[in-house]
Amino acid sequence: MTGLGRFIPHVILLVILAGTGCNDGARPGASEQSGTTPPPAGRDRPGIGPEAKATGQLTGGSAGQGVFRGRVILRGDPPKPRKLQVVKDVAVCGIIDHLDDRLVVDHRGGIRNAVVSINGVKGGRGIAAMGDDFVLDQKSCAYFPHVLLVPVGGTLRVLNRDGVLHNIHTYSSINPAFNVAQPKALKEIRKTFSSPERIAVRCDVHGWMSSWVIVVDHPYHAVTDEDGRFELSGIPPGRYVAECWQEELGTVTVDVTIGEDGGETRHDFVYDAPAPSAALN
Ligand SMILES: [Cu+2]
């Protein structure tokens, strides 16, 4: 055997069918977001801070199982970071800068906190691959992380590290919504969810606080990191629809094929920057 032939078995089969994603152009997740509409209090929401990390990444893979990775990118001028006013409990809440985190874009256009999913996977990893600790933290009157994956049946722990009252208010229609006061002495609240749903979370005390709990029924989801990168692994061979959701920009899909030999499939999801008239304000 000569030339490339002997190497071909080791070459990653990188195939994306119908690589043209479609962007529904939706605003605030309206096309996909089920549940009641959260209050417009999002105008005063905090930044997620540099310590937040990508969550929900599945790592490792095995022969015959594929990896899907790439970036979520904004094409065009991103909105300028906007500092939000802290108008309550300033001594606790005001010790960090609170930035509008509905659309966070790095200098290369990478969009943070988008959720990439591959649906319809048969076999592969069970939901236990997501782990068993799902924490929504409250520090300095901000939620960490801004977007959290939680499996159906998994226990969400909402922590209060601040010496002030918070109020956890979820906006959902499939799962029962809850609205629970969390005084400073109540350091942890536990909740479970029975159905997949993207759920907006707000604090009724501090109107700038917001986050998303993404309840899922399989482990093939990832939240993009600060560079807009995502990675899903352990995907059995097959043809799938991959979906990217971002709270302000809506949903983009693409057909993805994982070859029989597994390997790596790459795709970048691209959104157009909101028109100036629709930009965050
Ligand atoms: Cu609060």
Side-chain angles (χ1 to χ4, degrees), residues 15-22 252-257 265-270:
V15 181
I16 299 178
L17 294 181
T20 54
C22 60
V252 180
T253 61
V254 67
D255 293 336
V256 171
T257 296
T265 298
R266 297 189 65 94
H267 180 73
D268 292 342
F269 292 94
V270 180

Side-chain angles (χ1 to χ4, degrees), residues 138 141 165-167 203 205-206 209:
Q138 296 168 108
C141 310
L165 169 72
H166 290 299
N167 189 90
C203 175
V205 179
H206 308 106
M209 295 179 66

Side-chain angles (χ1 to χ4, degrees), residues 143-188:
Y143 289 116
F144 300 92
H146 179 64
V147 175
L148 176 66
L149 298 173
V150 178
V152 165
T155 300
L156 168 67
R157 298 193 295 129
V158 183
L159 306 184
N160 182 0
R161 297 178 190 267
D162 297 327
V164 299
L165 169 72
H166 290 299
N167 189 90
I168 316 303
H169 193 166
T170 62
Y171 291 81
S172 61
S173 59
I174 302 173
N175 295 276
F178 58 87
N179 186 355
V180 182
Q182 188 172 23
K184 58 186 179 183
L186 183 56
K187 294 303 178 191
E188 181 175 317

